[in-house]
């Protein structure tokens, strides 16, 4: 075993049994290449660069896996791989005289899993989206790059919202959802007119759910006409369409002018 440089000698004996003088020679201890290679992981579908630190006086660095050589040459200090499953990689560092071997296990980490679903919102409404709280980081594109599992914004146009999550290993996945805007119901507040103390009917447009200011939920309500400017002549009505979008308008009762007092003329005959 050679550990350090040393001086040695050898004696040669011929077939007659005669020995030669000692023949000196030198033994040089060439250092084995030093390899620093550690186990690592890669997110599924990503490319991983695995590199080694070795002294520069090398003539060849072949890399291989269980299926054979995948890279070789004097400058292959790293490989870039994207394995489908956890794989052991082998590397041999060779210099002019010696070689050393090492291996590493590259584990494949599964990416996070999210499933956003398309949805809708009423025009002008505030919508709040919340991601599952089982990942390290959450990035909604509506949060200006901030890490937050929740996002809240007002909807006025159709839009695509994206969410990128990151787990403790740095593995990420991005999903997109479409938010469709539903326009609010369009209707004019109903009107009816009548004389003071007369009963009139206010009719809302058909095809909605209704909520009048006083709690009535029918399409039509009957009310007594009040005097000019009386607050009971104005009633709020909220209608709701099939998407849950609501619009509130005022229903008005118009008071007809009362006829003037009759003129009575007395005539003597």
């Amino acid at each position: 075993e050679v550990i350090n440089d040393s001086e040695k000698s050898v004696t040669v004996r011929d077939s007659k049994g005669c020995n030669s003088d000692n023949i000196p020679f030198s033994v040089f201890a060439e250092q084995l290449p030093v390899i620093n290679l550690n186990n690592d992981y890669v997110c599924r579908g990503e490319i991983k660069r695995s590199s080694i630190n070795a002294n520069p006086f090398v003539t060849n660095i072949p890399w291989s896996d269980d299926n054979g050589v995948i890279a070789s040459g004097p400058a292959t200090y790293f490989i870039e791989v994207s394995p489908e499953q956890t794989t052991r990689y082998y590397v041999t560092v060779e210099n002019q005289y010696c070689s050393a071997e090492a291996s590493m296990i590259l584990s494949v980490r599964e990416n996070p899993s999210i499933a956003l679903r398309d949805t809708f919102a009423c025009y002008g409404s505030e919508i709040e989206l919340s991601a599952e709280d089982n990942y390290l980081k959450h990035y909604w594109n509506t949060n200006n790059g901030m890490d937050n599992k929740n996002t809240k914004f007002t909807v006025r146009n159709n839009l695509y919202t994206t969410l990128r999550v990151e787990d403790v290993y740095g593995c990420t996945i991005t999903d997109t959802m479409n938010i469709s805007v539903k326009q609010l119901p369009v209707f004019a507040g109903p009107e009816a007119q009548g004389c003071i103390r007369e009963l009139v009917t206010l009719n809302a447009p058909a095809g909605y759910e209704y909520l009048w200011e006083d709690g009535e939920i029918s399409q039509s309500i009957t009310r007594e006409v009040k005097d000019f400017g009386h607050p009971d002549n104005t009633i709020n009505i909220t209608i709701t369409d099939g998407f849950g979008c609501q619009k509130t308008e005022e229903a008005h009762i118009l008071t007809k002018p009362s006829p003037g007092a009759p003129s009575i003329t007395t005539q003597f005959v």
Side-chain angles (χ1 to χ4, degrees), residues 149-167:
K149 72 172 185 175
N150 300 316
T151 185
K152 184 185 295 185
F153 51 92
T154 299
V155 178
R156 291 187 174 87
N157 299 291
N158 296 334
L159 57 90
Y160 287 97
T161 301
T162 61
L163 170 64
R164 179 172 62 89
V165 298
E166 180 179 324
D167 64 15

Side-chain angles (χ1 to χ4, degrees), residues 82-96:
S82 181
E84 290 293 326
Q85 60 187 3
T86 297
T87 303
R88 181 181 289 273
Y89 293 94
Y90 307 88
V91 62
T92 301
V93 177
E94 302 171 352
N95 60 25
Q96 185 176 359

Side-chain angles (χ1 to χ4, degrees), residues 12-232:
V12 178
R13 176 178 295 176
D14 62 16
S15 59
K16 298 179 180 179
C18 298
N19 295 327
S20 69
D21 295 332
N22 287 337
I23 303 173
F25 64 92
S26 299
V27 176
F28 299 98
E30 184 71 24
Q31 296 296 319
L32 292 173
V34 177
I35 306 175
N36 295 318
L37 188 63
N38 299 314
N39 294 335
D40 206 347
Y41 65 86
V42 62
C43 302
R44 181 171 296 282
E46 291 187 354
I47 296 175
K48 184 71 173 184
R49 171 179 284 203
S50 296
S51 59
I52 61 170
N53 292 321
N55 69 60
F57 304 106
V58 296
T59 58
N60 194 23
I61 310 176
W63 292 80
S64 63
D65 57 18
D66 291 333
N67 296 318
V69 175
I70 57 176
S72 181
T76 53
Y77 284 89
F78 66 88
I79 54 172
E80 292 182 337
V81 292
S82 181
E84 290 293 326
Q85 60 187 3
T86 297
T87 303
R88 181 181 289 273
Y89 293 94
Y90 307 88
V91 62
T92 301
V93 177
E94 302 171 352
N95 60 25
Q96 185 176 359
Y97 304 100
C98 306
S99 65
E101 297 179 350
S103 68
M104 61 166 290
I105 296 176
L106 189 60
S107 302
V108 177
R109 301 291 185 185
E110 295 298 331
N111 292 318
S113 176
I114 55 175
L116 300 182
R117 295 182 179 180
D118 294 345
T119 187
F120 64 86
C122 302
Y123 177 86
S125 64
E126 188 176 68
I127 187 171
E128 182 171 5
L129 304 175
S130 181
E132 297 180 4
D133 192 20
N134 52 358
Y135 295 111
L136 180 64
K137 296 180 180 180
H138 310 77
Y139 298 100
W140 292 95
N141 68 323
T142 47
N143 279 350
N144 298 319
M146 297 177 60
D147 173 20
N148 195 324
K149 72 172 185 175
N150 300 316
T151 185
K152 184 185 295 185
F153 51 92
T154 299
V155 178
R156 291 187 174 87
N157 299 291
N158 296 334
L159 57 90
Y160 287 97
T161 301
T162 61
L163 170 64
R164 179 172 62 89
V165 298
E166 180 179 324
D167 64 15
V168 294
Y169 299 105
C171 300
T172 64
I173 194 170
T174 301
D175 199 8
T176 301
M177 66 183 297
N178 179 34
I179 301 177
S180 302
V181 173
K182 301 298 182 183
Q183 296 299 322
L184 301 180
V186 178
F187 75 105
E191 291 184 352
Q193 61 179 345
C195 300
I196 296 175
R197 291 184 295 277
E198 184 181 357
L199 294 179
V200 296
T201 300
L202 293 167
N203 296 305
Y208 300 98
E209 294 181 359
Y210 313 93
L211 179 62
W212 296 85
E213 183 178 338
D214 56 3
E216 290 281 349
I217 58 174
S218 58
Q219 180 182 353
S220 302
I221 61 171
T222 301
R223 290 293 181 269
E224 182 182 276
V225 180
K226 304 296 184 181
D227 199 358
F228 287 104
H230 196 285
D232 287 351

